[in-house]
Amino acid sequence: MSWREEYNKKLVTAEEAIKSIHDNDKVVMAFGCSEPRCIVRAMRENYKNYNNVEVINMLLLGETPWVDEEVRGHFRYNSFFASGTNRKAIAAGVADYTSCYLSETPSVLRDYIKPRVTVMSVAPPDEEGYVSLGTNCDYIETTLAHCEVKIAQVNKNMPYTYGATRKHVSEFTYFVECDEPIPEVPAPPLTEVEVKIGKHCASLINDGDCIQLGIGGIPNAICEELKDKKDLGLHSEMVGDGVVDLIKSGVINNTKKNIDNGKTILGFAFGTKKLFDHLDKNRDVEMVPMDYVNNPVIIAQNDNVVSVNSCLQVDLMGQVVSDTIGLNQFSGVGGQVDFVRGATMSKGGRSIIAMPSTAKGDTISKIVPKITDYSAVTTTRNDVNYIVTEFGIAQLKGKTMRERARALIAIAHPDFRDELSEEFERRFNEKY
């Protein structure tokens, strides 16, 4: 049987494909720009056919139908990353949250959660019968290999990417053809604060460094400040549109990397058509699973790795809180700790935690005497290197607790420095 015959034999409607999902199943889904929305809609519309089905994924860009009151008892949602669409449901106990380093997500799914069904989006097959996982390799590459049922939404708008994303049609159970726009994550205009933070972070990046950036205002601001750099490498769990111009101009060329030389290494992409078009059929970019791109041992094999991540709160000891506010789950652990440790182990590497100094219209300081009660520490004080706000850079490695507190107060918002200074005097028995 040719691959075309095999593909056509497996080609069904969304309604037919989801009949392979049984009561009490665990179903893991692709997330973000790779959400298989046609199949999600079919499952939501036919919710009465299911009982106690657990739906698992990372981060949804659209609505989260699995937390609707109508579907309770039929579906239960388990997220590896809280967001605006599911925070309230998690706090109310209507949905679940699983805490996990991004590097361990594939193995946690495979060895502990053990889903039976995996659902994803793919680009149409090439002439050799290989589809592509497109914008997301992350954990889907692993669940595709280990789940009993594999359902793929085939979408001609999905970019065809290389690396570990290229899979033969024989590896799938069903294909559902459904062309629709890829969910996009547009970048809002940069704020003055983000521009200042971007300048500070860029000052810590040198020619030839290998960088990790996330998405959002601060990474985009950093990209704007890197246009005069040379020979940068890129090894990052995810990126947005900001890196495209740097790659096209040759600023990012990956020529100094010890491993994956000449290649941009990504786990998934969160951007717009600008980014998708750049990824499409681009053999200089390789999409790889999280247990590779986020593995600190792999990260450290490149010299001069600079990681940039953000957080919600830093206390005067340098403890970093990035995913909780008290007992409320705000986001997820993500890859912060993976890259902080990988950069630390890298020869010449540096890790940066970058954040605005305040939140909620300058009414809350992000640098605090102590972290909010019950908040979970994401990155320990022993792991932290640089903390950056719009007011400057605090380098914490090798510093005493007293020196750390001084450095952090100096980059706090001026409106809160008196309060922090009073805590400094109480704690260290000396004037700030």
Side-chain angles (χ1 to χ4, degrees), residues 44 47 64-75 89 94:
R44 175 62 178 85
Y47 73 93
T64 307
W66 322 114
V67 302
D68 294 347
E69 185 173 356
E70 187 179 37
V71 306
R72 291 176 193 172
H74 301 280
F75 294 113
V94 174

Side-chain angles (χ1 to χ4, degrees), residues 182-369:
I182 303 299
E184 295 190 7
V185 186
L190 297 177
T191 67
E192 182 180 350
V193 167
E194 289 167 343
V195 170
K196 289 179 179 178
I197 294 171
K199 290 180 184 294
H200 291 314
C201 290
S203 73
L204 298 171
I205 298 173
N206 305 317
D207 292 348
D209 284 347
C210 181
I211 59 173
Q212 173 255 329
L213 300 169
I215 60 169
I218 292 175
N220 287 337
I222 295 170
C223 288
E224 288 295 315
E225 299 298 325
L226 296 178
K227 293 179 178 179
D228 294 329
K229 302 290 183 181
K230 296 183 176 68
D231 299 329
L232 296 181
L234 182 58
H235 180 112
S236 189
E237 69 198 39
M238 65 173 175
V239 293
D241 290 1
V243 302
V244 175
D245 291 341
L246 294 178
I247 296 173
K248 287 184 174 180
S249 68
V251 170
I252 294 175
N253 58 27
N254 301 296
T255 58
K256 303 296 183 183
K257 295 170 74 173
N258 300 342
I259 60 170
D260 303 310
N261 186 270
K263 300 289 187 180
T264 288
I265 300 297
L266 304 175
F268 55 97
F270 265 38
T272 68
K273 192 173 185 298
K274 177 180 180 178
L275 178 60
F276 306 152
D277 287 348
H278 177 73
L279 295 176
D280 189 41
K281 297 183 175 63
N282 186 344
R283 293 188 179 273
D284 292 331
V285 179
E286 293 194 352
M287 309 293 290
V288 298
M290 289 170 173
D291 50 11
Y292 183 89
V293 68
N294 281 79
N295 186 331
V297 175
I298 298 295
I299 295 165
Q301 291 180 44
N302 280 311
D303 295 342
N304 305 306
V305 172
V306 182
S307 71
V308 184
N309 291 278
S310 61
C311 72
L312 300 171
Q313 206 174 56
V314 179
D315 72 4
L316 290 181
M317 292 190 291
Q319 297 187 110
V320 172
V321 174
S322 301
D323 65 311
T324 57
I325 301 174
L327 291 174
N328 292 319
Q329 194 65 44
F330 184 81
S331 56
V333 175
Q336 181 176 123
V337 179
D338 295 329
F339 271 94
V340 166
R341 291 179 175 168
T344 299
M345 292 190 294
S346 164
K347 181 181 178 181
R350 286 136 279 151
S351 68
I352 301 168
I353 303 294
M355 62 177 186
S357 63
T358 61
K360 293 191 175 180
D362 296 339
T363 62
I364 297 174
S365 178
K366 289 194 168 188
I367 296 177
V368 295

Side-chain angles (χ1 to χ4, degrees), residues 68-112:
D68 294 347
E69 185 173 356
E70 187 179 37
V71 306
R72 291 176 193 172
H74 301 280
F75 294 113
R76 176 83 181 186
Y77 183 53
N78 179 5
S79 177
F80 277 72
F81 202 96
S83 65
T85 63
N86 62 30
R87 286 186 195 117
K88 289 182 179 179
I90 293 170
V94 174
D96 295 310
Y97 168 76
T98 298
S99 185
C100 180
Y101 294 133
L102 222 52
S103 61
E104 294 182 344
T105 305
S107 63
V108 167
L109 284 164
R110 181 188 65 231
D111 300 334
Y112 295 93

